[in-house]
């Protein structure tokens, strides 16, 4: 987006440098990343950075409301409430599309929000690898981090948060078959920085209110859980034998309590008013009188993940397929127009979605923006299936003008 840095990067880019960059990513942890990493980072100018910060502050103000939990109580589906919920989310992800605003100017528009972890360590590591391979354009005037913190300070702060007062072996990253997840690379990088291992929920041993797992052949007491399990995926795995269900009362601390996945989600978006949030309403709020221009909306189930169940070209038949009793679990969101803003060295430009990643420790008054990720797309929509066999697309990281 910043023309001067884009020109420098594209001038020095070669397919051979990109292949060397990918080889380094694979060699660091002897693991081939299963999603596409884009050829380029993204350079964000100060004026658009400031818009993102303003948009985020509109959302944070809502999260700080005294009645936030009351407003979102219905967000937690029946039977999926997890005991020992804390006062506020500890992690927050805000996804913004870079869209066309008034008079053709660029404006961030909130696409989704999550009270759930993302690739906190992978993104930090990825940014360092981009910087190593492309020093010409990634000068000290640009950072993937916020608040003036250094790489070492970021690593130390997040490590301290995840571990709490415990030793690394007493903390686990909880997932479903973690080695099969697309995000497995983040689990490896997290272990590198913290010593915390990824453990499948089927490997948890429950003895009353205490949880254990086998670490190097030793039964080890679990005292803190960095939760990465999505309920939607867990419910689709009745074949997964386990001693422990998330909804059981056990003596553990949560680094990211599961209830916040529901409270801060697509469910929350219709409750917030901001010029940075496109029009969105629950289906149940329409009273059967849906917009006549449904083609200009996206139909989203509130509690799916990774775009599952989302319908972009909505018809009356799509609405009719949603049972009346389930309409409160779906929303219509007005489409936004993404602008191709990342000029590719091989011609054309890519659309951009930016995810801002926050950490909110228990002793802090509000969430603090620390790092980011982004996704580039040259397809009709953001997402893997729309970008098959395309170049200059995939996961990346933004470097913000300081």
């Amino acid at each position: 987006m910043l023309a001067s840095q884009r020109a420098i990067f594209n001038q020095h880019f070669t397919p051979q440098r990109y292949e060397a960059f990918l080889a380094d990513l694979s060699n660091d942890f002897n693991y081939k990343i299963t999603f596409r990493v884009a050829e380029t980072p993204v350079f964000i100018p100060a004026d658009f950075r400031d818009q993102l910060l303003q948009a985020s502050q509109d959302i944070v103000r809502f999260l700080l409301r005294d009645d936030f939990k009351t407003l979102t109580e219905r967000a937690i589906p029946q039977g999926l409430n997890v005991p020992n919920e804390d006062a506020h989310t500890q992690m927050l992800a805000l996804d913004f599309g870079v869209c066309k605003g008034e008079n053709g100017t660029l404006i961030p528009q909130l696409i989704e929000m999550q009270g759930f972890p993302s690739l906190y360590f992978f993104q930090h590591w990825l940014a360092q690898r981009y910087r190593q391979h492309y020093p010409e354009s990634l000068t000290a005037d640009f950072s993937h981090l916020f608040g003036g913190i250094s790489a070492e300070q970021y690593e130390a702060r997040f490590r301290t948060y995840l571990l709490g007062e415990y030793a690394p072996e007493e903390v686990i990253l909880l997932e479903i078959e973690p080695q099969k997840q697309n995000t497995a690379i983040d689990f490896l990088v997290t272990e590198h920085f913290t010593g915390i291992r990824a453990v499948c929920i089927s490997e948890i041993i429950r003895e009353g209110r205490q949880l254990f797992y086998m670490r190097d052949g030793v039964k080890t007491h679990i005292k803190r859980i960095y939760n990465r399990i999505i309920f939607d995926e867990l419910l689709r795995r009745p074949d997964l034998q386990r001693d422990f269900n998330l909804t059981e009362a056990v003596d553990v601390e949560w680094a990211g309590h599961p209830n916040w996945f529901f409270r801060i989600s697509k469910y929350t978006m219709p409750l917030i008013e901001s010029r940075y949030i496109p029009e969105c309403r629950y289906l149940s709020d329409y009273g059967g009188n849906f917009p006549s221009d449904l083609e200009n909306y996206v139909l989203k189930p509130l509690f799916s993940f990774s775009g599952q169940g989302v319908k972009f070209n909505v018809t009356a038949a799509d609405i009719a397929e949603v049972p009346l009793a389930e309409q409160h679990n779906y929303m219509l969101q007005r489409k936004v127009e993404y602008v191709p803003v990342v000029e590719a060295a091989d011609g054309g430009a890519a659309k951009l979605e930016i995810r801002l990643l926050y950490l909110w420790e228990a002793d802090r008054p509000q969430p603090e923006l620390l790092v980011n990720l982004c996704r580039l797309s040259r397809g009709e929509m953001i997402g893997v299936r729309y970008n098959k066999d395309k170049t200059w697309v995939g996961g990346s990281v933004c470097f913000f003008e300081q």
Side-chain angles (χ1 to χ4, degrees):
M1 293 176 61
L2 194 62
S4 57
Q5 299 306 115
R6 174 53 52 204
I8 295 170
F9 184 93
N10 287 8
Q11 178 186 354
H12 289 90
F13 175 84
T14 65
Q16 293 74 25
R17 289 184 77 174
Y18 176 55
E19 291 303 322
F21 162 73
L22 291 180
D24 254 7
L25 293 181
S26 296
N27 293 339
D28 279 350
F29 296 94
N30 193 29
Y31 177 84
K32 184 174 176 58
I33 298 171
T34 55
F35 55 86
R36 193 178 196 282
V37 177
E39 284 82 346
T40 180
V42 177
F43 307 101
I44 304 294
D47 56 349
F48 195 80
R49 175 204 65 202
D50 292 344
Q51 281 200 80
L52 282 168
L53 295 179
Q54 180 58 60
S56 301
Q57 194 54 42
D58 288 353
I59 296 162
V60 168
R61 273 196 298 270
F62 182 81
L63 301 183
L64 293 172
R65 285 178 53 157
D66 291 339
D67 60 349
F68 177 80
K69 280 199 172 185
T70 301
L71 292 171
T72 58
E73 199 61 38
R74 195 169 57 87
I76 303 173
Q78 188 174 4
L80 298 184
N81 188 60
V82 176
N84 300 321
E85 181 183 314
D86 44 5
H88 55 70
T89 188
Q90 297 179 38
M91 281 161 282
L92 174 66
L94 304 178
D95 291 355
F96 293 95
V98 178
C99 300
K100 181 181 290 188
E102 298 176 0
N103 304 319
T105 57
L106 298 179
I107 185 172
Q109 290 286 280
L110 183 70
I111 305 302
E112 289 200 25
M113 55 195 298
Q114 302 169 7
F116 190 77
S118 191
L119 309 182
Y120 283 91
F121 274 115
F122 171 72
Q123 288 303 120
H124 175 58
W125 172 62
L126 177 64
Q128 293 173 313
R129 284 292 170 264
Y130 272 125
R131 190 178 287 281
Q132 174 189 344
H133 282 265
Y134 300 100
E136 306 91 353
S137 50
L138 289 167
T139 64
D141 297 329
F142 294 86
S143 180
H144 66 290
L145 300 171
F146 296 87
I149 62 173
S150 67
E152 294 75 19
Q153 288 171 326
Y154 175 80
E155 293 159 16
R157 182 168 174 185
F158 213 84
R159 180 169 55 248
T160 299
Y161 160 70
L162 286 183
L163 292 176
E165 60 183 25
Y166 304 110
E169 60 269 19
E170 297 175 314
V171 184
I172 65 165
L173 186 159
L174 187 64
E175 245 294 8
I176 300 168
E177 297 181 329
Q179 71 281 2
K180 296 181 181 180
Q181 297 289 338
N182 259 347
T183 49
I185 183 60
D186 184 60
F187 308 158
L188 294 173
V189 187
T190 299
E191 182 177 356
H192 169 74
F193 281 109
T194 68
I196 297 171
R197 292 186 184 174
V199 178
C200 181
I201 191 171
S202 65
E203 299 170 356
I204 302 299
I205 304 164
R206 181 170 62 85
E207 297 180 0
R209 292 178 62 96
Q210 294 188 326
L211 302 179
F212 301 86
Y213 74 114
M214 300 303 295
R215 183 179 174 116
D216 301 329
V218 178
K219 189 168 79 168
T220 305
H221 189 192
I222 300 168
K223 298 182 181 179
R224 187 168 167 86
I225 294 176
Y226 179 30
N227 180 55
R228 299 293 289 265
I229 286 181
I230 301 296
F231 260 118
D232 190 50
E233 182 180 359
L234 187 61
L235 295 173
R236 295 198 305 270
R237 293 298 306 274
D239 61 304
L240 204 63
Q241 298 298 311
R242 55 187 189 271
D243 285 344
F244 168 57
N245 295 308
L246 290 177
T247 54
E248 294 172 328
V250 291
D251 295 329
V252 295
E253 292 183 7
W254 293 97
H257 192 283
N259 285 359
W260 293 102
F261 171 75
F262 298 114
R263 288 190 184 276
I264 300 176
S265 63
K266 290 184 284 289
Y267 179 92
T268 323
M269 291 177 61
L271 305 176
I272 310 172
E273 291 186 9
S274 170
R275 67 187 293 259
Y276 300 106
I277 300 179
E279 174 195 342
C280 47
R281 296 173 62 186
Y282 308 120
L283 282 190
S284 56
D285 285 351
Y286 285 97
N289 297 315
F290 299 106
S292 58
D293 58 338
L294 285 173
E295 68 277 7
N296 293 321
Y297 289 81
V298 180
L299 178 64
K300 295 183 175 183
L302 297 181
F303 304 120
S304 67
F305 197 68
S306 298
Q308 296 183 32
V310 174
K311 295 189 176 181
F312 291 100
N313 300 305
V314 185
T315 65
D318 294 326
I319 302 291
E321 287 179 1
V322 180
L324 190 63
E326 288 296 315
Q327 286 192 355
H328 64 285
N329 288 326
Y330 288 77
M331 78 172 186
L332 281 177
Q333 179 177 329
R334 182 169 283 279
K335 288 181 180 178
V336 294
E337 183 178 353
Y338 284 76
V339 180
V341 291
V342 181
E343 182 182 349
D346 59 3
K351 302 166 187 173
L352 178 63
E353 199 167 277
I354 300 171
R355 175 174 294 176
L356 301 181
L357 298 176
Y358 290 73
L359 181 62
W360 192 356
E361 298 103 320
D363 60 347
R364 304 263 177 163
Q366 66 178 44
E368 295 182 49
L369 177 58
L370 292 183
V371 70
N372 78 91
L373 66 78
C374 65
R375 293 188 296 170
L376 281 69
S377 170
R378 299 173 84 172
E380 180 186 2
M381 303 288 178
I382 300 283
V384 174
R385 62 177 174 168
Y386 298 101
N387 287 279
K388 291 180 179 178
D389 303 320
K390 291 182 170 61
T391 57
W392 290 67
V393 299
S396 185
V397 63
C398 293
F399 285 86
F400 289 80
E401 186 177 26
Q402 301 299 293

